[in-house]
Every structure is written in C-alpha cells, then in structure tokens.
Amino acid sequence: MKDIKEIISYLKDKGFIYSGSSIYGGLANSWDFGPLGAMLKDNIKNEWKKFFVDKQENIFHLDTGIILNPKVWEASGHVGKFNDPMIDCKECKTRFRADHLIEQEKNIDAENWSFEKQTELIQKDIKCPVCQKQNWTEARAFELMFKTSGSKTSEEETLYLRPETAQGVFINFKNVIDTMNAKIPFGIGQVGKSFRNEVTPGNFIFRTKEFEQLELEFFIKENDSQKYFNLYLDKIKSFLLSLGLNKANIKQEEVDKDSLAHYSKRTVDFEYNFPFGYGELLGIADRGSFDLSNHSNFSNESLEYHDQKNNEKYIPHIIETSMGVERLFLAIISELLKTEQDGETERDVLKLPYTLTPYKASIMPLTNKLEEEANNLFKDLLTKDLGPINFLKGGSIGKRYRKQDAIGTMFCITFDFDSLEDKKVTIRNRDTMIQERIDIANIKTYIEQNAG
Ligand code: GAP
C-alpha cells in the first residue's frame, strides 16, 4: 500500500481530487473532486444503490432536503447532544478534540470521560503538540451541526445543515407507507451530502466538514432486530468485497455500550486499514424505536405501523447501515493502486473492478496519421452505451497504455494501418496485458464478455 502523501499526489496529478478553493489560496481540509474523482464517486454510489436498493425486495429510495424543519433536530437529539469535546491552547490558539489529544499523547481512550476529567489530565500532563507550551482552556462542548439562518417573516430563524441523511428518511416514513403500500419489513435508502463542523478534520478526505453518506434504514418488528442486524452484517461484508477491498484489511468492532451514539442500542463498526492506520469505514446500528417514537412525540403525528393482517399496531424498530462515500473512495484507492513490475520497468495500475472504472476503454490511433479514422471509430463507440470511453493520441502506445493503467481503464483499443483493411483492432486488457485482434464490429460484445 502506498503512503498517504503518495496517494494524495497521485490523485491530484491524475485529476481525481484537487485541494479545495486552490486559486484563492485554498480552504483548510476541503477538497474538490476532479473529473475522474467525480466519475469514481458516482460509480461507488451507483454500486451501493444497485446492491442495497435496486436488487433488493422492498427497498425504496428517497432524496430529501439538506435543510429540514429545525424541530427535526430537536426530536432526533442532535440539538444539545451532538457535540464533541474541544480544548484550545491559549498560547498558539490551536484547537484540539480533547479525547483525541489524550489518545494521541497518552494512548488512553478518553472518549467517555467527563469534560472535567479530560481537562484535568490535559492541563496537568499534556503539552501542546504545536507550540510545546502547557496553557490550556477548559474542555467544552463543540456543537457539530452547522447553523445557517432563513427568514420566515421579518425574524431570522436558525436552521441546520443535516449531519446525517437518516432523519429525512424517518420523517417520511409515513409518506412512504401511504404512497408505496410498503409493508414491514421494508427499507428506505438515501444518498447525499451531510455536514459536520468537525473540531479536527483531517487525514485527507477521511474526516471533512462536508461529505456524502450512503444510508439504509430498515424498518422491522422489535423481535426481528437480531435477525436483520446479522443479515446486514453479511450484506456489508459482501458489498465491501465486491468493491475490491481485501478481507485482511477490514476489521469488525463491536462498539462498547458506553460509547454508543445517543440513538443506538447496539453498533458494529467496520474499520479499514488506511495508510494512516485503522479508521471507521461504516457502521451498522440498532436504532430501536428511538427515532420514530421521538418524531411521533415531537410532531404529534402517529408514526405507528398498522399491521392489518395480524391486527396489531406498533412503532417499528430500525436497523441502519451508514457509510461515507469519501471513506470508501479512499479505502478503494489505498487498496487497489499498485505498482507492478513489467519486464524491466514498473507500471502504476489502478485495479478497480470494471463497474468502478472511470473509463471503460480508451481508443488510440497507432500514429497521428490515423487520427481521423480512429476518431470516427471513437465517435461510433460513444453511441453504443459502453459507458464512458476516451480518445488518446500522441506519444508511444506503451506510454499511453501506462497512462490508462494508472487511472484504471480496463481496455485499450489500438487502431493501426491494418485496421483500415481488415476492420480489426488490437484490444489490450489492463490486468493481464494480453493483446488480442478482434473485429471492430465485435468490440462491444468482447468488452461485455471480458469485463470481469
Ligand atoms: N446515521 C448514522 C450516522 O451518521 P456516523 O457513524 O456518525 O453514523 C456514518 O456516520 C458514516 O459517515 C461513518 O462511518 C463515515 O463513513 C461517514 N462519516 C461520518 N463523519 C464523517 C466525516 N466528518 N467525514 C467523512 N465521513 C464521515
């Protein structure tokens, strides 16, 4: 696995991820996804949607607002409870997450300590890692939700950017039942941006203030919690392997009772062995009836489910799977960007599964003299629904192969002088590097059969 600096510079050079707002001197810990990054991100989201929504029975998809009625966040417990402990160095003004500072400097897990206990240890025993002085504020709560405002009348109203997509799903639970004839057990998935004013964002795209989530809320009867929790544990494992991640780099961690989020009865995190060490990739949580009960109470709308067959009414329980697109992105790149020996030389190759590759194929004229004919073939292939393909001329064919290997393109198709006569091209496979001569008329079928 490459180190994180190599990965960041590779992603920038190849057009996957740029530093955010770079022409204005940047914005700390913000990143913009370039053309290839945007394509890979879309492919990850599409794979998630295919796997968890489209290919499942009884799963619906939603696209709800980022800004919701502020009462949603009171009911969900985010107003008041969704905060991290922060502490500031009074000398150099650097801000730290208090429990992370204790973990980093003393190797002690202080996540569940009171603010007083964290303050006491830091003030007594820890020097600021930036300026080496020991002059700290008290540890205090740092509200994680981003606030904004809107005006209803002449008065400003505090609004929040959603810190998770899940609440948009819960408040539409009844709408989905009423309009889609949904019957328990069923699920609702949502993909979208979430925002958290993290005290200490960092590790590249691992922890940012703005990120995308893939969340699935599965509504069940209380007695079925265990069964569906286990089912989703299995589904998650298959999904991660289908993205090309290696089992050996994935760790499953049962979250201690004391560290559970305010809504959770049980959580299992999946951690990935990133270049900077293990970090949370995703979580599965048994949210019980916490969310629907609270939204029922706060909204005065009954969110009971009426099981007409058995003539019973109850508030469903929820099993949630929640993962971040950027963390999956980083895990996939860390795992699949390889440097391989190729004869006397080395090649960088991004061994993405075909479904994730930004470009499915690259069309190359052997020399610039064949540009027009090769470009005609390229334009024709663009109409064939192969997915994104590109056209690459100039430089030796070997160098062009290398360029495409490094961004994961699965097939390189070379149009040469013989192609004018025999109507065939040479197609090269990214992983095996085997080259075959095939009829131009068979390109689509060949790709479909060999996409893996
Ligand atoms: N609805 C449940 C929920 O939001 P979470 O553990 O707070 O649970 C779920 O977040 C996932 O979202 C995490 O496992 C991670 O993949 C991603 N995530 C959370 N905070 C993030 C951040 N600041 N930057 C990038 N991804 C983040």
Side-chain angles (χ1 to χ4, degrees), residues 399-433:
K399 279 200 179 133
R400 280 180 271 167
Y401 284 167
R402 291 279 190 275
K403 272 193 181 163
Q404 295 303 307
D405 288 346
I407 61 168
T409 308
M410 191 65 92
F411 299 103
C412 288
I413 297 172
T414 306
F415 189 99
D416 57 25
F417 288 102
D418 290 341
S419 308
L420 296 171
E421 303 301 322
D422 64 7
K423 307 288 176 231
K424 289 177 190 272
V425 283
T426 301
I427 189 160
R428 170 194 178 264
N429 183 296
R430 179 196 70 195
D431 296 336
T432 62
M433 293 191 277

Side-chain angles (χ1 to χ4, degrees), residues 164 196 198 206 208 211 213 215 280-282 320 322 324:
E164 60 173 6
R196 296 184 191 176
E198 298 281 358
F206 179 81
T208 46
F211 54 97
Q213 286 186 311
E215 301 205 285
E280 181 189 321
L281 191 57
L282 63 98
E320 171 186 79
S322 175

Side-chain angles (χ1 to χ4, degrees), residues 66-67 70 73 78-80 82 141-150 156-163 195-198 209:
I66 284 173
I67 299 175
W73 306 110
H78 284 85
V79 174
F82 194 53
F142 184 77
E143 180 71 66
L144 282 175
M145 272 201 297
F146 267 106
K147 280 187 190 144
T148 182
S149 61
E156 290 284 300
E157 179 185 33
T158 300
L159 298 169
Y160 301 95
L161 304 187
R162 67 180 176 201
F195 303 82
R196 296 184 191 176
N197 202 2
E198 298 281 358
K209 296 190 176 205

Side-chain angles (χ1 to χ4, degrees), residues 199-256:
V199 185
T200 47
N203 277 336
F204 187 36
I205 53 169
F206 179 81
R207 191 181 307 283
T208 46
K209 296 190 176 205
E210 164 180 352
F211 54 97
E212 278 188 273
Q213 286 186 311
L214 304 158
E215 301 205 285
L216 184 83
E217 311 300 327
F218 199 72
F219 299 91
I220 54 169
K221 261 187 109 158
E222 179 173 8
N223 290 346
D224 290 334
S225 301
Q226 180 82 10
K227 173 172 136 198
Y228 286 108
F229 201 100
N230 290 339
L231 184 89
Y232 274 99
L233 281 174
D234 289 344
K235 281 189 196 284
I236 289 286
K237 285 181 216 159
S238 313
F239 178 64
L240 295 179
L241 299 185
S242 78
L243 299 179
L245 299 183
N246 185 341
K247 230 201 252 170
N249 285 324
I250 299 166
K251 208 162 71 173
Q252 203 175 308
E253 293 280 326
E254 184 81 38
V255 174
D256 290 347

Side-chain angles (χ1 to χ4, degrees), residues 4 11 19 26 38 78 152 161 187 299 359:
I4 193 69
L11 289 171
S19 306
H78 284 85
K152 261 203 277 189
L161 304 187
S299 67
Y359 289 110

Side-chain angles (χ1 to χ4, degrees), residues 17 22 35 40 45 85 90 110 139 170 193 210 234 272 274 277 283 287 324 357-358 363 396 435 451:
I17 299 184
S22 55
L40 176 52
K45 290 186 273 185
K90 286 191 196 165
F170 304 143
K193 289 251 179 182
E210 164 180 352
D234 289 344
Y272 180 77
F274 290 100
R287 297 183 73 125
T357 53
I363 316 304
S396 74
Q435 300 183 20

